[in-house]
Every structure is written in C-alpha cells, then in structure tokens.
Amino acid sequence: VAALQQSSLYLGKLIIQSAVNGISLVSTAPISAFTAATRVENFIQAFGISGCESIAIFVAQNRGACQERRTYQGFRWGIFTLLTMGLFFSLTINLGAYPLSALFLGGKAEGMELCISYLKYISWFYFLSFTGHAWVGWYRGVGRMNITFWGTTIQIICRVVGTYLLVSTTSGLSDPELFLTLTAGDGL
C-alpha cells in the first residue's frame, strides 16, 4: 500500500506538471516560478519525510515489543520535533523567499515575483505539512496504510482538479498565489 500511496502522489504531480506546461503559450513566468518553488519545497519536505519515516519505524518497533507507553512518548516527541521544524522552516522560507527564489531562478525578473509571493504565502502552512508527516508516520507504524493511501489520493485528486480548473480559466493567471498553492504545494 505504501507504494500505491507514493505512486498516486507522483502520478498526480506529473499531471499537474502537464497543466503548468500548458500555460507556456501565455507566459513562461508561472512555469519558472512553479519549478523554483517546487525545488525549494522538495528540499524542505525531505526533512518532514525523514521525520515521518523515523516515527513509523519507532512506533512499529515499540508496538511490536508491546511497549505502548514508550510508543506514545516517542510519538509525542516526534510530533513536537516535526512541528518545531515546521515552524523553523516557515520562518526561514518567509524571511528568505528572495534568496531561495534567486537560487533557482538566477535572480531573473521572470518568475521571481510569483515565486517569492508563493513562498511567502505558503510558508505559514508548513506546520500543517509537518503535522501531516507525523500522523502519516503514526499510521504507517501502526499498520494502517489504508488511511495514508486514501489521504494522499484524495488530496492529490483535489489538487489536480483545482489546477486544471484554474488553468482552463483566466483566474489561474490573475491569481498566481492561488494557482501556485494548488500546483506546487507538496503532499504527503
């Protein structure tokens, strides 16, 4: 089921990328911003994914050893650590949106404004993403992969549908923060 979860996420990301590529006739700025924002987010999300895997392994081992108290204590410590990292990355991305964007866009004007705007907007939601990583770790650790599969599948379907709706209307380009939030926002 873990492979299905990851497959649904990355298949959805490919579909979203095709929608973003479809607006290249209008402007290349959203494509550049999407690519840069996705790279920044993929780097940051690696920390959340590592925390998720750590929690899953810890929970599974301790539940297997019938150490329920230790399981819950470890999970509390894990979620605290991930939330702390989420808040740290929220501040880092918000305050460092320009240099992070410039790192991938080379300081070029095209796409910089969109990427910076998106990073500043989405940065305050990283605690939700990192909270999600903690719960995915918990459910993987207790063997409830069906919950993580359906959660990932439902959120990626919503993102794909939302992306295509925004691309097919002019609102996708007149509201770049909303467009980039749906398209570049990383899933679990």
Side-chain angles (χ1 to χ4, degrees):
V1 179
L4 286 174
Q5 175 201 6
Q6 292 302 312
S7 296
S8 70
L9 175 66
Y10 290 106
L11 178 62
K13 285 185 170 193
L14 284 172
I15 296 169
I16 289 170
Q17 182 67 54
S18 71
V20 173
N21 290 345
I23 58 177
S24 65
L25 297 174
V26 178
S27 171
T28 59
I31 296 170
S32 298
F34 173 82
T35 302
T38 300
R39 288 180 180 171
V40 170
E41 285 201 275
N42 286 343
F43 176 76
I44 300 300
Q45 290 296 337
F47 293 93
I49 293 167
S50 295
C52 169
E53 297 302 327
S54 299
I55 289 172
I57 292 166
F58 185 88
V59 168
Q61 286 177 338
N62 284 285
R63 283 196 54 153
C66 296
Q67 298 289 325
E68 292 297 318
R69 183 169 181 221
R70 184 172 173 180
T71 300
Y72 290 114
Q73 287 175 335
F75 176 69
R76 279 193 299 272
W77 179 250
I79 199 168
F80 170 77
T81 303
L82 282 174
L83 286 175
T84 302
M85 285 193 320
L87 290 172
F88 169 76
F89 285 123
S90 289
L91 288 171
T92 302
I93 291 171
N94 191 279
L95 298 174
Y98 180 84
L100 288 169
S101 299
L103 181 67
F104 295 105
L105 294 172
K108 297 177 184 172
E110 184 174 70
M112 280 289 289
E113 186 178 323
L114 283 173
C115 188
I116 291 167
S117 175
Y118 167 74
L119 289 175
K120 284 184 173 280
Y121 177 78
I122 199 69
S123 68
W124 299 114
F125 296 96
Y126 267 88
F127 71 94
L128 293 175
S129 179
F130 279 66
T131 302
H133 285 302
W135 285 105
V136 167
W138 171 262
Y139 286 118
R140 283 184 181 174
V142 298
R144 297 295 311 268
M145 289 300 301
N146 60 324
I147 293 173
T148 62
F149 168 74
W150 285 112
T152 299
T153 302
I154 290 168
Q155 68 91 12
I156 199 66
I157 288 170
C158 292
R159 284 173 43 198
V160 167
V161 169
T163 298
Y164 273 92
L165 287 173
L166 286 170
V167 167
S168 67
T169 65
T170 57
S171 68
L173 295 176
S174 64
D175 192 355
E177 288 87 3
L178 179 60
F179 175 76
L180 287 172
T181 299
L182 283 174
T183 58
D186 212 2
L188 300 175

